[in-house]
Amino acid sequence: MSTPLTGLGIDRPILAAPMAGGPSTPALAAAVVARAGGLPTVATGGVAAPTDVADVLRAGADAAMVGIALLRTDESGASAPQKAALADPAFDSVLIRRNVHVRGLVQGVYYRDTCRRLAREAGVNGWVRNLHNGDVEAVFEGSPGGVQRLVSWAAEGPGAAEVTECAVAAENPEGDRDFRVLDDAPAA
């Protein structure tokens, strides 16, 4: 027999999926409510439509919290690819995009080729290119973990590189579907 949540010092159970955007299923709601010992319960994660709210409330949750579902509204400012991904069941994770600008000895050291190989291995999309001033610019789009691995690598570069500066800026995802080496950027 399981211990009621009140016996564990819990005063407000929140039903959350193991990862952001995952489902607070009616079965999960029913299981937590059964152990809540009369405490109010809130279901969150994957509650994206009125039917989802109704399902978790029917299962016994006292309230449902929506968040990501609101990103699909016109007022959110989210990009069209972000909104499309939120509505597509094939997208089951968070997507981020980072623009990276590196300085130092970063051309002629296989920076772009190594970057492409590592990005593809990490499942990260985007592009990399040489700039006319000797710098390199890259864009990484994918899971937070994959993108962070590439950003960390970019600050070091391949073995022969000598990175002296690495600037990183967040951007809205654009829906890149592959990682490619672009032609060198034209001189300004």
Side-chain angles (χ1 to χ4, degrees), residues 87-125:
D88 186 343
F91 288 92
D92 60 358
S93 62
V94 175
L95 184 71
I96 66 169
R97 182 180 178 97
R98 298 292 180 263
N99 180 288
V100 178
H101 187 121
V102 292
R103 289 206 157 126
L105 177 60
V106 292
Q107 291 188 16
V109 294
Y110 296 98
Y111 195 101
R112 294 174 302 162
D113 188 59
T114 305
C115 185
R116 174 179 45 197
R117 180 179 53 79
L118 293 174
R120 287 180 173 169
E121 286 174 8
V124 171
N125 298 321

Side-chain angles (χ1 to χ4, degrees), residues 46 110 121 139 156 162 166:
Y110 296 98
E121 286 174 8
V139 166
E156 301 293 325
E162 295 176 18
C166 180

